[in-house]
Amino acid sequence: PEQLLIKAIENSRPLLQLTAIKRGGVKYQVPIPVTEKRSYFLAMKWILEAAREKERKVHLPEKLAWEVLDAAYNQGRVVKKKNDLHRQCEANRAYAHYRWS
């Protein structure tokens, strides 16, 4: 079980995130790398949020177990959320030079 949890968290860790930077009256979504500590925090937070969003009739420990299993096998809401975030970062990489200015 411990290895499954570790694998689930590793699979759902984001490498990049978007931050809004204002230049010339326009806000740009600029991709920046995520620190290791924050990426672990985001992965665990997303797994918990995904478990809480599931149907009300099932108890939280069971919902959480299903989310962890899904994330460990690289599927489910959390991995989809990470992939969507990375896709957005890839789309906005043209604005990456604003990170240093």
Side-chain angles (χ1 to χ4, degrees), residues 12-21 28-43 45-46 81-100:
S12 53
R13 276 180 58 201
L15 301 174
L16 296 168
Q17 70 181 12
L18 293 171
T19 185
I21 293 182
Y28 295 102
Q29 292 292 323
V30 179
I32 60 168
V34 182
T35 63
E36 185 179 1
K37 193 174 180 180
R38 176 140 175 87
S39 71
Y40 278 115
F41 167 76
L42 284 173
K45 179 181 164 192
W46 289 348
K81 185 171 186 167
K82 178 192 85 164
N83 290 336
D84 288 345
L85 177 63
H86 284 173
R87 202 171 297 116
Q88 281 183 314
C89 290
E90 184 73 25
N92 290 344
R93 72 176 183 189
Y95 306 125
H97 64 281
Y98 287 126
R99 206 172 85 207
W100 292 283

Side-chain angles (χ1 to χ4, degrees), residues 2-94:
E2 185 180 338
Q3 290 176 342
L4 265 178
L5 180 63
I6 290 170
K7 190 170 183 180
I9 291 172
E10 286 295 326
N11 287 345
S12 53
R13 276 180 58 201
L15 301 174
L16 296 168
Q17 70 181 12
L18 293 171
T19 185
I21 293 182
K22 196 170 183 182
R23 288 284 175 264
V26 180
K27 280 190 177 179
Y28 295 102
Q29 292 292 323
V30 179
I32 60 168
V34 182
T35 63
E36 185 179 1
K37 193 174 180 180
R38 176 140 175 87
S39 71
Y40 278 115
F41 167 76
L42 284 173
M44 289 184 268
K45 179 181 164 192
W46 289 348
I47 289 173
L48 258 176
E49 283 176 357
R52 285 189 184 128
E53 287 174 5
K54 285 190 181 252
E55 63 187 73
R56 291 265 187 218
K57 295 178 182 176
V58 183
H59 295 291
L60 182 66
E62 194 174 335
K63 294 189 283 189
L64 189 58
W66 284 111
E67 279 303 323
V68 167
L69 282 173
D70 282 347
Y73 295 123
N74 252 342
Q75 40 189 272
R77 292 180 184 184
V78 183
V79 176
K80 184 182 182 313
K81 185 171 186 167
K82 178 192 85 164
N83 290 336
D84 288 345
L85 177 63
H86 284 173
R87 202 171 297 116
Q88 281 183 314
C89 290
E90 184 73 25
N92 290 344
R93 72 176 183 189

